[in-house]
Amino acid sequence: MSGQTLDALALEAAELVAAAKKLVVFTGAGISTESGIPDFRSPGGIWSRFDPEDFTYQKFTTDPEARRKQWRMLGEGHLTTDAQPNPAHYAIAELDRLGKLDCVITQNVDNLHHKAGVPVEKVFELHGNVQWAVCLSCGRRYPFEHIKARLEGGEEIPECEQCRGMLKPDAVLFGEALPQEVLQEASQRSSDCDLFIVVGSTLVVYPAAYMPLYAVRGGARLIIVNLSDTPMDAQADVLIRAKAGEAMSRIVERVREKITG
Ligand code: APR
């Protein structure tokens, strides 16, 4: 996208942000690729190297080989826990500091919105978070770093140290229920907002992908920042085909100018 077009679109988006009373930002894996974390469906993404069939809750809980693959993927840092936020994450945190952010609803499990400074009560993680592993038998939770050290020490399928039960990353697997209270709150916020910004998602995985639908149905304006097309592109008031870091930084720069004069 040419610099001029991006500037014009960023200005249009900034006008909507400045006027918004309740802004919800919805993010997917595309916001974290500039932090070095691959997304899922771009060429070379995670589902081109791992079979999503191996990442269902059913397989994880019944097939030790699937557990071995999942822990190997996590251990190799594919959803790495030591990545750092990029300018797109920081731009969203600045929207909060400018008093413009109602909340962030994310499909990501990488904790980067927290690391960028968005208050924890304003981040709704629909698909959980890989900062923790939980025992499916006794419920004990372990910081992922602790489990990662065990994986690096050669363990392949870590079990609970308390009861030897099955450990699972605290991220939601395919076929697993999303955390109900998070989903409920995120759905309500999406329906109540007056501006909804999608950053870095194909919008093909449900129920997460219902959020922009709820927003538009509730009368909100829609901005999409994404490198490839999505099923919601036709409903977008502003559609920006550009990298999230660049686009979000320019939008927030314009918002700051408008708000602080
Ligand atoms: N800037 C803007 N867009 C980007 C960037 C970037 N730097 N990098 C990638 N993208 C876009 C891609 O073009 C793609 O459209 O981000 C989107 C990422 O889409 P997916 O890989 O499908 O990720 P996501 O939408 O978050 O997937 C949803 O699927 O596999 C499950 O649970 C997993 O939460 C994930 C869910």
Side-chain angles (χ1 to χ4, degrees):
M1 168 169 286
S2 74
Q4 191 281 331
T5 321
L6 177 54
D7 245 349
L9 288 169
L11 194 53
E12 222 180 304
E15 269 146 22
L16 292 178
V17 172
K21 299 275 177 298
K22 271 196 170 192
L23 162 63
V24 169
V25 179
F26 177 91
T27 63
I31 197 173
S32 298
T33 54
E34 292 166 68
S35 295
I37 301 176
D39 67 9
F40 293 93
R41 294 173 183 82
S42 288
I46 288 184
W47 296 144
S48 67
R49 281 175 285 150
F50 291 89
D51 177 356
E53 276 308 305
D54 285 334
F55 291 81
T56 63
Y57 186 76
Q58 167 72 14
K59 266 244 170 141
F60 185 88
T61 51
T62 56
D63 176 358
E65 193 42 39
R67 283 200 289 285
R68 190 192 318 279
K69 281 181 189 168
Q70 175 120 202
W71 285 114
R72 192 176 74 235
M73 179 186 96
L74 287 168
E76 285 167 6
H78 286 289
L79 294 175
T80 175
T81 52
D82 49 13
Q84 293 308 310
N86 67 58
H89 296 102
Y90 287 120
I92 295 168
E94 180 162 2
L95 285 176
D96 184 50
R97 283 194 295 279
L98 290 169
K100 294 305 300 180
L101 183 70
D102 178 69
C103 68
V104 175
I105 299 170
T106 188
Q107 302 169 94
N108 300 340
V109 297
D110 55 33
N111 214 44
L112 291 182
H113 289 300
H114 300 91
K115 283 184 181 174
V118 180
V120 65
E121 68 276 7
K122 289 193 174 184
V123 181
F124 294 100
E125 295 175 307
L126 294 176
H127 295 164
N129 189 312
V130 286
Q131 307 308 310
W132 298 93
V134 62
C135 173
L136 298 182
S137 303
C138 71
R140 182 168 169 190
R141 294 165 62 82
Y142 298 84
F144 185 74
E145 292 312 317
H146 176 74
I147 304 299
K148 193 169 179 183
R150 288 173 54 185
L151 293 165
E152 285 160 354
E155 280 192 65
E156 293 193 313
I157 308 180
E159 292 171 343
C160 177
E161 293 162 18
Q162 184 160 290
C163 74
R164 310 210 62 69
M166 189 186 296
L167 285 187
K168 183 181 98 47
D170 218 6
V172 174
L173 302 180
F174 287 120
E176 184 178 3
L178 274 64
Q180 281 313 300
E181 61 292 345
V182 175
L183 179 59
Q184 183 60 40
E185 184 63 25
S187 304
Q188 192 59 56
R189 301 283 184 110
S190 299
S191 305
D192 295 348
C193 74
D194 59 358
L195 179 60
F196 195 89
I197 304 181
V198 174
V199 186
S201 180
T202 43
L203 297 178
V204 295
V205 172
Y206 291 86
Y210 284 129
M211 300 306 124
L213 283 169
Y214 295 151
V216 169
R217 267 199 214 131
R221 310 294 289 278
L222 177 65
I223 297 170
I224 296 179
V225 177
N226 205 52
L227 282 178
S228 62
D229 57 5
T230 82
M232 292 289 290
D233 286 355
Q235 282 101 314
D237 295 276
V238 183
L239 179 60
I240 304 180
R241 281 265 177 283
K243 293 184 77 170
E246 176 72 37
M248 291 307 290
S249 301
R250 289 203 197 191
I251 291 171
V252 174
E253 197 180 316
R254 295 277 173 276
V255 171
R256 196 187 314 114
E257 283 162 11
K258 283 180 177 304
I259 290 184
T260 55

